[in-house]
Amino acid sequence: MKIAISGKGGVGKTLLSSLLSKTFSEAGYSVIAIDADPDANLAATLGFPNAEDIVPISEMDELIEERTGAKPGQSAPFYTLNPKVDDIPERFAHKLNGIRLMRMGRIKKGGTGCYCPEGALLQALMAHLLVARNEVVILDMEAGIEHLGRGTAAAVDKLIVVVEPGRRSIETAVNIKKLAAEIGLKDMAIVGNKVRNQSDIDFLKASLPGFEFLGFIPYDQAIVNADLANKSPLDASEPAKAAVSEIYQALLAGVLRQKDSKRVKV
């Protein structure tokens, strides 16, 4: 199963990504968690020690030059657009409690509009993770979907957009749906976070008609307190864990229905 998670900054993308990663791992799945948001802190949320020292793939200059034939950050007329990447997860992923984690870093474009060597490596690696790997891949993205292209979007089983009760969060979800449609990514769902009561749930549903809702994560001060104390919130909130467990079950059921439908059509 390949899951991409997006949404406005601060809505709880990383919290959902980490809780889903833990839930899948505890259920016996092999999990690769991908931090594709340059401003996110997935490693710290998952409890990785010295998370700030994990180097993004886009900043591994020697690896980039070795695989693409060009030095990152420099203008190069020629470089490999399809570099070898199949060994990178085993060599560079960090492991903790059955979860492997990789930081992608930011995709940058050169002055001509073409992707730079580090961008070519990231795109090839993302395609490998989403298309060739037989694991659960959970992708924690920023508000856009720049790490996904037309070639990899079809491999995503579900794009989850996290929203909170607020207009800007809802506007971001609508914009992400438009961007996703442009690259053929149609299987999208909403998770409501920081929900305080039924009125918040009703507001989100009324504001996003026609969207599938996977579930709602309640607001819990314990999560805020864990963040203030610079601690992982994974075990801070039993209500949040219970809500994500239900989202996990909904994801499994939905993907199984998809695969059964495809078999019937064939």
Side-chain angles (χ1 to χ4, degrees):
M1 186 182 298
K2 309 300 191 294
I3 303 166
I5 299 175
S6 188
K8 186 180 75 68
V11 294
K13 299 186 300 292
T14 300
L15 176 67
L16 177 61
S17 299
S18 59
L19 285 171
L20 276 178
S21 296
K22 182 179 181 182
T23 303
F24 273 103
S25 177
E26 290 178 345
Y29 291 90
S30 176
V31 177
I32 299 180
I34 306 297
D35 190 344
D37 184 347
D39 299 319
N41 53 358
L42 184 58
T45 306
L46 284 167
F48 278 78
N50 303 314
E52 67 280 358
D53 296 330
I54 296 177
V55 179
I57 299 296
S58 66
E59 296 178 14
M60 296 182 179
D61 292 355
E62 291 184 4
L63 175 66
I64 293 166
E65 184 174 6
E66 172 197 330
R67 299 303 170 89
T68 67
K71 291 185 178 181
Q74 296 186 7
S75 177
F78 302 104
Y79 55 85
T80 302
L81 292 175
N82 189 27
K84 174 181 170 60
V85 295
D86 58 339
D87 62 327
I88 290 178
E90 280 67 35
R91 289 183 57 192
F92 296 102
H94 297 255
K95 302 176 183 179
L96 181 69
N97 298 328
I99 298 171
R100 285 180 290 171
L101 176 127
M102 299 177 66
R103 287 187 64 194
M104 299 298 281
R106 187 179 297 279
I107 290 180
K108 294 170 284 187
K109 287 188 176 182
T112 61
C114 298
Y115 283 120
C116 56
E118 51 264 51
L121 184 68
L122 289 187
Q123 290 286 32
L125 177 57
M126 186 63 68
H128 171 73
L129 290 167
L130 292 177
V131 177
R133 306 288 298 199
N134 189 28
E135 292 139 317
V136 172
V137 176
I138 296 178
L139 178 62
D140 182 11
M141 301 192 298
E142 54 187 334
I145 52 176
E146 66 174 8
H147 284 84
L148 297 177
R150 292 184 184 277
T152 55
V156 175
D157 293 298
K158 186 74 75 172
L159 170 63
I160 300 176
V161 180
V162 182
V163 299
E164 61 186 5
R167 288 295 174 189
R168 285 186 296 173
S169 173
I170 290 166
E171 290 171 1
T172 299
V174 173
N175 289 333
I176 291 172
K177 184 177 182 179
K178 293 178 182 177
L179 292 172
E182 290 175 0
I183 60 172
L185 207 173
K186 300 178 181 178
D187 201 344
M188 173 178 161
I190 300 291
V191 166
N193 188 34
K194 304 179 186 178
V195 172
R196 297 162 296 181
N197 47 46
Q198 186 61 43
S199 295
D200 282 347
I201 294 176
D202 293 341
F203 169 78
L204 290 175
K205 288 184 174 180
S207 300
L208 293 167
F211 283 77
E212 174 192 1
F213 280 82
L214 283 176
F216 299 90
I217 303 173
Y219 174 85
D220 191 340
Q221 183 64 34
I223 295 175
V224 179
N225 293 341
D227 182 59
L228 292 174
N230 200 28
K231 295 180 179 179
S232 171
L234 282 184
D235 297 311
S237 172
E238 288 300 324
K241 289 169 63 177
V244 172
S245 179
E246 293 181 4
I247 292 168
Y248 159 79
Q249 294 293 342
L251 279 169
L252 286 183
V255 170
L256 285 174
R257 284 195 301 269
Q258 276 187 346
K259 295 186 184 299
D260 287 342
S261 175
K262 288 179 181 179
R263 282 197 291 267
V264 169
K265 289 179 180 179
V266 172

